[in-house]
Amino acid sequence: MKKDFIFNEISQLKGVGPQLSKYLKKKKIEKIKDIILNLPYSKTDRSKISKINELEIGKIHSIKVKAIKLNFPRIRNLPNKIICEDETGKIDIVYFNSREGYLRKLFPINEWIIISGKVNYFNKKYQITNPEYVTKLENQEYVIKNIPKYNLTKGINEKKYRSISEQVINNIPIINDWLDDNFIKKNNLINWNECITNLHNSKDAENTQSNSYRRLAFDELCANFLTLSHNRKKIKKNKSPKKFNDHQAKNIIKNLPFELTNSQKDVLAEINLDLLSQNRMFRIIQGDVGSGKTIVSLLAIINVITSGYQCALMSPTEILARQHYALAKKIFNSINLQIEFLTGKTEYKKRKEILANLSSGKTKLLIGTHALFQKKINFKKLGLVVIDEQHKFGVKQRSDLAKKGGDNCDVLLMSATPIPRTMMMSLYGDMDISKITEKPAKRKKIITLSKPEKKIDELWPFIKKQIEIDNQVFWVCPLIEESKFLDYSSAKKKYELINTKFKNKVGLIHGALKKEEKENILKKFLDKKTLILVSTTVIEVGIDFPNANLIIIENANKFGLAQLHQLRGRVGRGAKQSTCILLFKDGLSKNAIKRIKILKESDDGFFIAEEDLKLRGFGDLIGFQQSGIKNFRFADPVHHEDLFKLAENFVRNIGEEINQNKYYFLLKLFDKAEIINIDKI
Ligand code: ADP
Ligand code: MG
């Protein structure tokens, strides 16, 4: 068998017609290899032959019996019935919708046969309805065993699926393993062919720590990391290096009202090296909310402008873009620099003027929303694109973005979502990573308190006092479930309650609003027209509300650690003391108690992200969901932490030049070949 047969469509298998293909497609089984990757979730034990007087109702049994009477009622809707017996008793085998001829052949009178199926009790008799297996004695080995159980959809029964999957699993050609024996042994893995056989024919698929399961998880990681590494190579092509001396930047730093943290200095140095190098920069700054990423990016921008290029700075929302614009104006105030602001709302005349100044090169820095990336916008000499709060982009968008800037354009992303170490490679394997690990020194630590919800009345005087000393308040409403409407209705109720206590001082914001409406409401809050903002979890990360110093989070046990930390980070950006109050319903789970404890003790986003991963596991991590990268199917950063590291090193050692022959099979197995653009053999 050619080894490529597994990449063929399933319709090429015996017994798979158009109808069955359609059903299998619903289970995302389209190619033969998808059958290999569709692991059994358990086994059905049909391995023992039971006597009729030993049967247990509701369980699956295999029995050895003789048919003694076949009964085909001529009345519609009555089932066909075959009465069978062994030396200990009788049982009815019942069929709905089966043809007489077929059953007569299956149940020859007075011959021993094997039947396997789920036993019921009806009219004081044992019965099996539509048994999965009925077979002659000489074929009993096919049935009397542990049979893998697969998740199946309507329209495919176990027996049918088994015949298809056995066709595949029993005929997999021996492949040239891309891992060598020593590596396999040393890391408790297993050779690929054995791995697949075991996963389907033993209990290995049920145990994420079995060598076979680990091998498949490792392969999945490698396929992903290889792809990222390949993308990276494509992006980091040669460019003409930027040429600058950093006296402008130094001047700006001198005039800042604060001292840069060491972390900020280190990251800036890393960026400068990239700018000066011959390879395009594709770097992400990771730093907790409030760690001071913006100023670092502005300093990079001034260096690029000094070397004769233009820059673009993009934010996900207009308010955020406006804040950046205001900051840039202020910081570059002493330099004669044309800075423009562009959003989708910029009016036609102004827009035309901006576009003209961009293509003539007069404008050096353009700040705005994603409107910056419209086709019509042409820079004369774009040298750097900075994108804030990048976690809204996936890998594909990132590489599109890198293309758009042109060959000499460096790319810098900024994210406030700390990612646990284990997942760094999966999320950002195509990029270089800079971390800001320090917070500006003078900032006061946010006081974090927890309170049972029934004591909510104790909050009103506290809020009143905050307002009197000119503070503003966020009130984040219960996340009830993944339903915008329910979350909205609970926010609305809370808004009405709070509004009776603080008339005309309260705003309401939620996810069902249009983007523009949301921005209006946030602006009102920013301008202190409202003092308390009731919201669902939509409040954007990144916006500076220097005056908001109290955040109340209701139903806090519904949120993960990292998300609570993110929410909390929306206060504490000014000089005053801030407070975060977590409201809980009674009867906290152990996990919830742990979460509160961690939050009270730590304000280090990286530490919290690690703890969050431990407490909640994979799919729940907020940065991950927003990253646009799908969950792994087999690998799990909690259970396979070592494999994440191993795969990372493995791919690093391969380098960026992937031997496409060697890894072709692997990449194709995990649908990566097209992304990498190889298709051969
Ligand atoms: P983020 O990393 O969340 O984007 P910002 O860049 O918005 O953080 O910075 C948050 C606040 O901290 C801003 O008001 C900024 O002026 C201030 N800031 C930045 N760096 C420092 C520093 N080294 N010392 C004190 N304040 C700083
Ligand atoms: Mg920011």
Side-chain angles (χ1 to χ4, degrees), residues 202-248:
S202 75
K203 284 188 168 283
D204 280 5
E206 293 164 56
N207 173 10
T208 58
Q209 297 309 324
S210 66
N211 291 0
S212 312
Y213 195 99
R214 282 167 53 82
R215 169 67 206 257
L216 196 61
F218 181 76
D219 282 358
E220 181 179 38
L221 290 171
C222 282
N224 274 282
F225 295 178
L226 281 170
T227 312
L228 286 168
S229 159
H230 176 86
N231 271 349
R232 174 186 164 79
K233 186 188 153 210
K234 274 204 309 211
I235 290 167
K236 293 208 60 150
K237 280 199 282 252
N238 277 359
K239 67 158 194 233
S240 38
K242 309 282 184 306
K243 294 195 181 93
F244 57 88
N245 79 32
D246 57 357
H247 77 273
Q248 293 273 36

Side-chain angles (χ1 to χ4, degrees), residues 352-589:
K352 223 172 132 188
E353 184 192 318
I354 292 174
L355 295 199
N357 287 338
L358 281 174
S359 56
S360 75
K362 188 172 169 215
T363 295
K364 301 297 178 205
L365 173 56
L366 180 64
I367 297 177
T369 57
H370 58 270
L372 301 199
F373 283 109
Q374 284 160 359
K375 271 208 196 93
K376 282 191 201 139
I377 297 176
N378 290 313
F379 290 81
K380 181 157 188 239
K381 205 178 168 197
L382 184 61
L384 173 68
V385 172
V386 180
I387 295 178
D388 198 10
E389 304 304 347
Q390 79 81 41
H391 56 265
K392 306 232 158 80
F393 298 108
V395 172
K396 169 92 173 54
Q397 284 164 302
R398 290 206 295 261
S399 83
D400 287 352
L401 184 80
K403 267 185 225 145
K404 222 164 200 165
D407 289 346
N408 283 324
C409 182
D410 290 303
V411 179
L412 181 65
L413 306 178
M414 302 195 274
S415 167
T417 312
I419 298 293
R421 174 73 200 79
T422 324
M423 284 163 62
M424 213 61 115
M425 179 75 179
S426 350
L427 289 173
Y428 299 129
D430 51 345
M431 313 185 68
D432 293 300
I433 297 167
S434 291
K435 276 192 187 178
I436 302 188
T437 50
E438 255 175 303
K439 289 258 174 74
K442 280 201 202 106
R443 196 153 299 153
K444 290 199 177 76
K445 198 173 160 186
I446 302 167
I447 296 172
T448 303
L449 305 168
S450 56
K451 218 178 202 350
E453 210 174 290
K454 55 185 181 218
K455 293 195 183 166
I456 195 170
D457 281 337
E458 292 175 12
L459 291 177
W460 311 127
F462 185 64
I463 294 176
K464 193 155 172 265
K465 217 167 104 197
Q466 294 293 315
I467 289 175
E468 276 163 16
I469 57 171
D470 200 28
N471 281 342
Q472 285 171 285
V473 182
F474 280 118
W475 188 297
V476 181
C477 265
L479 189 72
I480 296 175
E481 51 188 273
E482 297 296 312
S483 147
K484 265 189 187 161
F485 180 73
L486 283 174
D487 292 346
Y488 158 66
S489 72
S490 79
K492 196 168 166 208
K493 266 195 207 126
K494 194 57 60 164
Y495 163 80
E496 278 156 11
L497 172 72
I498 299 173
N499 202 33
T500 59
K501 311 209 178 262
F502 302 92
K503 201 110 201 108
N504 298 330
K505 294 195 172 88
V506 193
L508 170 66
I509 188 166
H510 55 84
L513 292 172
K514 289 210 187 82
K515 196 166 171 172
E516 261 176 41
E517 294 171 296
K518 277 190 233 165
E519 296 220 349
N520 270 334
I521 291 165
L522 288 176
K523 193 150 183 312
K524 265 192 191 159
F525 188 62
L526 206 55
D527 297 342
K528 296 199 207 174
K529 290 193 179 118
T530 53
L531 300 177
I532 303 172
L533 187 60
V534 178
S535 79
T536 57
T537 50
V538 295
I539 20 175
E540 287 293 338
V541 203
I543 302 173
D544 230 347
F545 295 99
N547 215 45
N549 290 307
L550 171 61
I551 184 164
I552 294 157
I553 305 171
E554 269 191 71
N555 231 15
N557 46 314
K558 291 267 178 178
F559 297 98
L561 252 186
Q563 203 176 7
L564 287 172
H565 176 68
Q566 290 271 359
L567 287 170
R568 178 172 67 174
R570 277 149 214 196
V571 299
R573 291 182 158 228
K576 287 198 222 163
Q577 178 62 56
S578 298
T579 311
C580 168
I581 300 177
L582 307 171
L583 285 183
F584 288 95
K585 292 211 163 38
D586 284 343
L588 284 183
S589 69

Side-chain angles (χ1 to χ4, degrees), residues 258-261 264 287-295 389 440 443 542 544 573:
F258 48 76
E259 177 81 28
L260 290 182
T261 63
Q264 284 172 316
D288 219 339
V289 184
S291 61
K293 296 181 287 292
T294 323
I295 184 69
E389 304 304 347
R443 196 153 299 153
D544 230 347
R573 291 182 158 228

Side-chain angles (χ1 to χ4, degrees), residues 264-281:
Q264 284 172 316
K265 286 182 199 160
D266 292 347
V267 171
L268 185 61
E270 285 171 342
I271 295 170
N272 284 343
L273 272 184
D274 277 359
L275 296 175
L276 295 165
S277 102
Q278 290 209 13
N279 293 315
R280 268 174 92 183
M281 171 166 75

Side-chain angles (χ1 to χ4, degrees), residues 57 62 282 504 637-638:
I57 294 158
S62 303
F282 196 47
N504 298 330
V638 179

